[in-house]
Amino acid sequence: MRWPALLLGLLVCASAGGEGVRPGLLITPDNYRQYLADLRRLLSPGAFRVVEEGLRRGYIKMPIVETKRYPQYRPFYEATLAHRGRARVGPDNQLLGWVSGLPFPQPRRGVELAWNLDRRVTVSDNYFFEGDFYLYNGPGRPERRYRWWYWVYRANGRVWPPPVPLDPINRGRPWREQIRWRSQFVMVSPFDVRGFAVIRTRYEGVDRWDDLFSYIPAIRRIRRMTGADVCDPMLGTDTIYDDFELFSQKITARMTFRMHRKRMLVPIYYCETPPAFDPKTGYRQHVWNLREGWVMEIFPNDPEYLYSKRVVYLEAQRLNGSGYYLDTYDQRGRLYRQQVYLNRYLDDELHTPSSFGARYTNLMSGHFTHIVMEYPGLRVGRHREVRISAADFNFRWLLRHAR
């Protein structure tokens, strides 16, 4: 009578050790229930809910492939090695002494890991992509489709393309007044949102708030956006400005952080062509890797802010600061929103990173938005330089390109 209990105990222990999910395994809608305990442990709580629903409805399968050590993005990696040991964190969470690259290749505190996330590399230091927003009122229930154009320009800590490491716009500025980056987007379709545009400027000082302006075509006026606006869903989507690329909230003096290591299951690719997106269901058919990562909890400590806590799941094997999952909690401590951020690396001369999609899910309502990203001209074998400067971030320039 003891043998069945012993065998059951061994099976439970094997599952607890993560041996059930391994390279070569294919998780399908028919067998996924036997791997639910492993998936719950290896995914974020929010990502588990999204993945489990896709399996249950038969929208996806989960092939587990061999984990690889992808090459480092060469300019960023070289800058990290050249300047390591120079960065430090001041008493007000201010980043000091940083030049370029990843500030803390071996983070020892949560605030150091937070600055790694803030300084992460996405494509190059000036990039452009076109994106489609697919809105869903639940899986398999498409609603609308928007299209936008999006630009980003980093003005300090630059590694590629020139000027390196500082844009002339920052010369002579004290550190806290330096521009870290500028971003802008314009909606190009459908007709009722065409021309809506936003320009955002991030400064280095933790006490220097972003400049954030929007152009509203219906009234032909420019409006300054407040801190509350960066938490509002954008044009009916599930995307908020402070959740762009997992984390666009400004690090402030009142924030606190916690971190720990975790083995996690993530979609990541070393390829030119990402997996196809199914606009009917709102899902992609990914391949999955087991990777060592960081889990970072970010506490804004602001009762007026939308979230009481962010939990970000970050890459640990590559020195680029990139992340995979974001779970957010409302002020009552309830799991509220979830984001899966989709990363790939190109086999070009610089081993360029890029993202090709993101899914934002409101876990309370079931509504979600999937963004499909395209980088015109970014192909294997040649790195495309987006010709844009910090001076090009204005509404006249933006609307001229949108017409």
Side-chain angles (χ1 to χ4, degrees):
M1 295 296 294
R2 296 179 59 189
W3 280 104
L6 179 60
L7 288 173
L8 179 60
L10 290 173
L11 288 173
V12 171
C13 290
S15 177
E19 298 300 324
V21 174
R22 61 192 182 280
L25 175 68
L26 177 63
I27 302 176
T28 70
D30 296 324
N31 68 7
Y32 78 94
R33 290 177 179 82
Q34 70 188 81
Y35 301 105
L36 284 178
D38 289 321
L39 293 176
R40 190 183 298 274
R41 184 178 59 257
L42 294 168
L43 300 169
S44 78
F48 172 79
R49 288 175 54 175
V50 171
V51 169
E52 190 273 336
E53 185 168 49
L55 289 167
R56 175 164 44 83
R57 291 175 176 267
Y59 292 157
I60 59 171
K61 298 178 181 179
M62 295 183 69
I64 314 300
V65 300
E66 182 182 358
T67 301
K68 297 181 180 180
R69 293 189 66 87
Y70 298 105
Q72 305 279 356
Y73 176 44
R74 182 163 52 83
F76 192 82
Y77 181 68
E78 291 174 353
T80 298
L81 297 183
H83 302 294
R84 61 183 171 183
R86 298 184 60 170
R88 67 186 191 280
V89 178
D92 57 354
N93 287 338
Q94 179 69 60
L95 180 65
L96 303 171
W98 174 76
V99 178
S100 63
L102 202 68
F104 304 100
Q106 296 178 316
R108 298 177 182 176
R109 298 185 294 153
V111 65
E112 294 179 348
L113 188 61
W115 278 115
N116 282 355
L117 174 62
D118 186 85
R119 303 292 134 145
R120 67 195 178 279
V121 59
T122 48
V123 196
S124 63
D125 285 320
N126 35 302
Y127 63 91
F128 162 74
F129 71 81
E130 302 172 9
D132 288 302
F133 290 73
Y134 293 84
L135 280 61
Y136 295 84
N137 192 22
R141 300 174 62 186
E143 282 185 341
R144 297 195 72 189
R145 177 181 174 182
Y146 298 154
R147 186 164 184 83
W148 75 348
W149 293 346
Y150 184 74
W151 292 262
V152 172
Y153 185 89
R154 299 190 184 97
N156 68 1
R158 297 176 57 83
V159 298
W160 198 91
V164 175
L166 199 66
D167 185 274
I169 198 171
N170 277 325
R171 289 177 184 165
R173 290 183 181 229
W175 175 250
R176 290 176 180 259
E177 292 298 320
Q178 280 197 14
I179 295 174
R180 167 57 185 153
W181 49 254
R182 281 181 171 162
S183 69
Q184 62 185 5
F185 70 81
V186 62
M187 308 302 295
V188 295
S189 69
F191 180 79
D192 59 333
V193 298
R194 180 180 177 88
F196 177 78
V198 171
I199 298 176
R200 187 173 188 175
T201 301
R202 169 66 49 84
Y203 297 92
E204 282 292 355
V206 295
D207 53 355
R208 176 71 157 87
W209 294 107
D210 294 351
D211 287 334
L212 191 64
F213 295 90
S214 66
Y215 174 75
I216 304 172
I219 60 175
R220 298 185 180 182
R221 292 292 185 272
I222 295 172
R223 291 289 182 262
R224 188 182 189 103
M225 301 173 70
T226 68
D229 292 318
V230 299
C231 296
D232 284 342
M234 186 182 69
L235 297 175
T237 71
D238 302 281
T239 309
I240 75 167
Y241 300 96
D242 269 5
D243 286 347
F244 279 10
E245 301 180 51
L246 285 179
F247 179 73
S248 289
Q249 185 183 2
K250 187 175 184 64
I251 294 177
T252 65
R254 68 168 64 184
M255 283 184 177
T256 54
F257 312 90
R258 289 200 302 243
M259 71 179 197
H260 63 272
R261 291 293 291 262
K262 178 180 175 64
R263 189 161 176 77
M264 60 184 67
L265 188 64
V266 301
I268 184 175
Y269 302 86
Y270 191 56
C271 65
E272 176 183 6
T273 305
F277 169 70
D278 184 354
K280 294 181 180 179
T281 66
Y283 277 83
R284 288 182 188 263
Q285 178 55 62
H286 300 295
V287 298
W288 298 78
N289 298 244
L290 287 162
R291 300 183 70 79
E292 291 297 322
W294 292 103
V295 177
M296 179 175 60
E297 297 175 273
I298 304 172
F299 301 91
N301 297 316
D302 181 357
E304 301 300 321
Y305 192 69
L306 178 65
Y307 303 139
S308 64
K309 180 174 70 170
R310 277 186 171 85
V311 184
V312 190
Y313 290 67
L314 300 169
E315 170 70 33
Q317 293 174 284
R318 288 178 57 87
L319 297 180
N320 63 0
S322 64
Y324 301 103
Y325 307 128
L326 167 68
D327 287 358
T328 56
Y329 296 78
D330 68 10
Q331 287 291 344
R332 295 174 61 182
R334 299 173 298 181
L335 184 56
Y336 181 16
R337 284 196 172 103
Q338 199 281 328
Q339 182 184 161
V340 177
Y341 199 67
L342 303 172
N343 301 277
R344 64 172 170 157
Y345 301 94
L346 300 182
D347 187 17
D348 62 6
E349 67 273 18
L350 301 181
H351 303 295
T352 309
S354 71
S355 51
F356 60 87
R359 172 175 161 148
Y360 299 81
T361 304
N362 185 323
L363 296 171
M364 293 185 180
S365 68
H367 198 276
F368 68 91
T369 301
H370 197 114
I371 304 179
V372 178
M373 305 175 188
E374 303 170 9
Y375 298 82
L378 188 60
R379 296 290 184 267
V380 171
R382 60 189 178 95
H383 188 93
R384 178 176 183 265
E385 178 184 352
V386 178
R387 297 189 179 279
I388 191 172
S389 71
D392 291 324
F393 286 70
N394 60 75
F395 287 109
R396 188 184 302 276
W397 185 94
L398 198 59
L399 295 175
R400 184 171 70 248
H401 279 70
R403 291 193 178 99

